[in-house]
Amino acid sequence: MFKEKIDTSRLPKHVAIIMDGNGRWAKERGYDRIYGHQKGVTSVRKITEAATELGIEYLTLYTFSTENWDRPSDEVKALMELLVLTIDREIEDLEKNNIRLTTIGDISRLPSEVTKKLEACKEKTANNNKLNLILALSYSSRWEITKAVKNIVDDVQNGKLTSDDISDTLISRYLTTAGIPDPDLMIRTGGEIRISNFLLWQLAYTELYFTSTYWPEFDQEAFYEAIYEFQQRERRFGK
């Protein structure tokens, strides 16, 4: 059992996860892709509970990328409906477990019903402080960085900044993750070994952990194993 091996004095402050493999998991078992996404919601609940219990402060889940809009319309529609149902079902548990929900990404592209549910949940959990659960929705890092550059240029042109003000710290303040610490650990399930346009700026010195386990099968023990493996590494931050 990996949980007993974890040193709780050296936990990663922020864990980010690319939840990959829902569709392939379902296809290999003769189901359609949306069934895999539905099963993936159960894993979200398990990992959120495990992170909260350990005392991790930030958990970012790559929920829906800007590239996912190019998937078949029926699948996108089903994913949006699943998101609404999940928010309705989980909001009481978020409150009970003192979890704050936030989002990053181009939320304006989401259907209005989804946006309303998200905003209501974010408002209701705004004062919670046990775990910050961050959903990356309609998110891509290239979109985020492009948007930040445009905003910086606007502020330079409007006299709010000069080129001498621009630094990595300032750029971080213009990203959608402003105020959120960079991830210490990034986990990707599903067997692919890439980061797929996810938090490109923020992952500069993040420890990367890849597993072939599909997301619907990624349970608490698998999460604890990733945390334990993270603690065996020496982080030098380029020094």
Side-chain angles (χ1 to χ4, degrees):
M1 299 292 287
F2 284 96
K3 185 178 181 182
E4 286 71 26
K5 300 179 181 179
I6 292 173
D7 180 354
T8 55
S9 69
R10 296 192 302 112
L11 291 171
K13 187 173 186 178
H14 182 179
V15 177
I17 304 179
I18 300 176
M19 307 178 293
D20 195 20
N22 289 340
R24 284 174 288 152
W25 178 88
K27 186 176 179 180
E28 289 178 10
R29 287 156 180 78
Y31 299 107
D32 59 22
R33 290 176 59 85
I34 193 60
Y35 180 73
H37 296 308
Q38 291 168 346
K39 295 297 289 184
V41 171
T42 301
S43 292
V44 170
R45 185 182 304 114
K46 290 178 180 178
I47 301 314
T48 301
E49 290 174 355
T52 305
E53 186 177 343
L54 280 179
I56 289 167
E57 296 181 38
Y58 295 86
L59 177 66
T60 297
L61 304 178
Y62 203 3
T63 308
F64 190 88
S65 73
T66 54
E67 290 83 4
N68 289 157
W69 290 114
D70 295 328
R71 289 185 177 183
S73 58
D74 287 349
E75 183 177 354
V76 172
K77 183 175 183 291
L79 282 168
M80 293 298 112
E81 291 172 351
L82 179 60
L83 184 55
V84 169
L85 288 172
T86 302
I87 294 169
D88 280 340
R89 187 169 60 234
E90 301 298 331
I91 189 167
E92 287 188 11
D93 280 345
L94 293 177
E95 272 286 272
K96 182 177 68 176
N97 294 313
N98 200 18
I99 298 170
R100 180 188 181 195
L101 180 73
T102 58
T103 60
I104 57 173
D106 188 4
I107 304 302
S108 65
R109 294 187 65 182
L110 298 174
S112 58
E113 184 181 8
V114 175
T115 304
K116 288 177 183 176
K117 294 285 186 182
L118 280 171
E119 292 305 319
C121 188
K122 287 158 69 174
E123 182 177 349
K124 188 169 184 179
T125 63
N127 294 323
N128 294 346
N129 56 20
K130 177 69 173 177
L131 171 72
N132 290 279
L133 177 61
I134 303 154
L135 303 184
L137 285 165
S138 188
Y139 173 89
S140 82
S141 200
R142 289 184 174 182
W143 163 84
E144 176 186 41
I145 293 170
T146 301
K147 180 174 179 287
V149 169
K150 288 179 177 179
N151 289 337
I152 290 171
V153 169
D154 285 345
D155 283 348
V156 170
Q157 291 177 338
N158 292 330
K160 296 179 181 178
L161 294 172
T162 69
S163 60
D164 290 337
D165 295 323
I166 298 173
S167 64
D168 57 354
T169 301
L170 181 131
I171 291 170
S172 294
R173 293 205 301 266
Y174 278 78
L175 299 175
T176 60
T177 53
I180 300 170
D182 292 342
D184 302 293
L185 170 65
M186 192 282 289
I187 299 168
R188 180 171 186 149
T189 64
E192 304 292 357
I193 304 176
R194 53 177 177 264
I195 56 177
S196 297
N197 207 357
F198 182 49
L199 300 175
L200 300 178
W201 178 275
Q202 298 87 340
L203 293 180
Y205 289 105
T206 299
E207 295 296 321
L208 308 181
Y209 178 89
F210 298 97
T211 174
S212 60
T213 303
Y214 291 142
W215 179 247
E217 296 178 330
F218 192 81
D219 58 12
Q220 292 98 326
E221 183 64 11
F223 182 69
Y224 297 142
E225 182 177 0
I227 301 297
Y228 174 76
E229 208 277 338
F230 163 83
Q231 292 187 335
Q232 307 315 300
R233 303 181 186 182
E234 180 185 359
R235 303 185 72 197
R236 296 186 293 273
F237 300 95
K239 297 178 181 178

